[in-house]
Amino acid sequence: RGTDSAVQSSLAAALDRPSNSLEILDDIGAIRPTDTALVSASILTPDVKLLAVDDQYYLDSFTEGALFRYLHVTGDASFPSNANYPDLLSRDGVLSINQTGVTALTRGMQRKLAEVGDPKHFSAFIGDFLASTDITHVSNEVSFRENCSYSTTLFCSDPQFIDTLQDSGVDVVEIAGNHNNDVGHEFNRDTIQLYEELGWGVVGGGINAAEAAQPYIVDLKDTRVALLAYNYPNSFPPDFAIATDTQAGANPFDFVSIAQDIQEAKKTADFVIVDVQYWECYSYPDGFIEYPQCDAPIENQEAHFKKLADSGADMVVGTQAHQPQTFETYNGTPIYYGLGNLYFDQTQWPGTTRSIVLTHYFHAGHLIQTRLTPTQFGRSLQPKIMTTPEAEPFLKRLIDAR
């Protein structure tokens, strides 16, 4: 509504930028890395970052966070049969998926649960956000067990913590981690069956090796996304966490098998995400001081994740990292090396209190945006979305690491 110059001026004011700093472009490829531009929502791609306007993000609201033009047609003549207008993105047509890092509802979280008596204590500030998308993914590394006792090495989780996950809107649980068999394969099996009774999917593990190898398929809103997940180090101690023909466990990592899985998934899926439980990394040689080594990929991680991209993965995500790592686009494939701790008790170091939540938005089978939301928890063990002053130096640090 109004002229292009009026639209340009309105958005410039909303973003607190000079009007002449905003170009109106119909080609995403023409946008330079430092540009802010006006583009049609119908041509959005992951190559540009969609900005919120007045704290409203268009792909969440679909009524705010953008400027709208309206076409009014009057008269008796038929509407032109050759008219071609792009479809307006809508909630009914855009699939949203929240993807998160490590969840380990154990150890110090058990102590806090005994103190506060309410499992929703932990999700109080983050649950609504996590549940706001069509699909919510968590990577839960610990199985549930009645009368779970505290241990620093062998993990189990009090069944009350199911309420934490339910309050977070969980739809699919990744179980490719190292600790789901800590107190016995049978508790992993029972936990998987509990997830299924709740109507949740699982990926990266199963009650046996055949089940552990199955992808999780999201088939909603004219988009089909396949999620695959693997335990890269094949657990520690060797093979302890890996599924067998008769025992529950994680899906093992093998390049040949993964390449076959990707190609099989791509026969029916529009987009294939490969999750990897890689090695952990900590860099605090002076105690509390955070060194930057773990911000970057570790050991062979970069080469291995890029090999997965070369094998056909549309996105590669490290869900193992107990502190966030950098991210990049490699030959058109987004790679997120580590998402950090969503729910856990590691408050002794600053890096392990942080995470990144990835929100993927798909339209008609295509990824159009991935939004990064940084979170952080303190001694209350309640993750919160970072404020802008908290998020800016944190994200800059990860970008500098690449």
Side-chain angles (χ1 to χ4, degrees), residues 332-345:
T333 300
I335 298 177
Y336 301 90
Y337 288 100
L339 300 186
N341 284 329
L342 176 65
Y343 289 121
F344 200 23
D345 70 346

Side-chain angles (χ1 to χ4, degrees), residues 364-385:
H366 299 283
L367 178 69
I368 55 175
Q369 286 286 295
T370 293
R371 182 177 55 167
L372 279 64
T373 301
T375 74
Q376 188 166 23
F377 57 81
R379 295 195 180 277
S380 67
L381 304 181
Q382 296 173 296
K384 300 178 182 179
I385 295 174

Side-chain angles (χ1 to χ4, degrees), residues 230-311:
Y230 304 88
N231 182 294
Y232 168 74
N234 294 345
S235 83
F236 179 83
D239 299 329
F240 179 72
I242 299 303
T244 69
D245 290 342
T246 58
Q247 291 183 319
N251 191 25
F253 187 102
D254 174 76
F255 280 117
V256 174
S257 297
I258 295 173
Q260 293 172 347
D261 292 345
I262 292 171
Q263 294 311 310
E264 184 64 26
K266 290 177 84 74
K267 291 179 181 178
T268 57
D270 301 305
F271 198 89
V272 177
I273 301 173
V274 175
D275 286 356
V276 183
Q277 287 275 332
Y278 205 77
W279 291 111
E280 301 171 10
C281 181
Y282 304 96
S283 185
Y284 299 91
D286 296 331
F288 191 74
I289 303 298
E290 184 177 16
Y291 281 60
Q293 284 88 339
C294 296
D295 297 347
I298 61 173
E299 298 181 0
N300 296 316
Q301 186 182 14
E302 181 179 357
H304 288 167
F305 280 32
K306 289 181 176 179
K307 185 172 182 178
L308 297 176
D310 290 336
S311 297

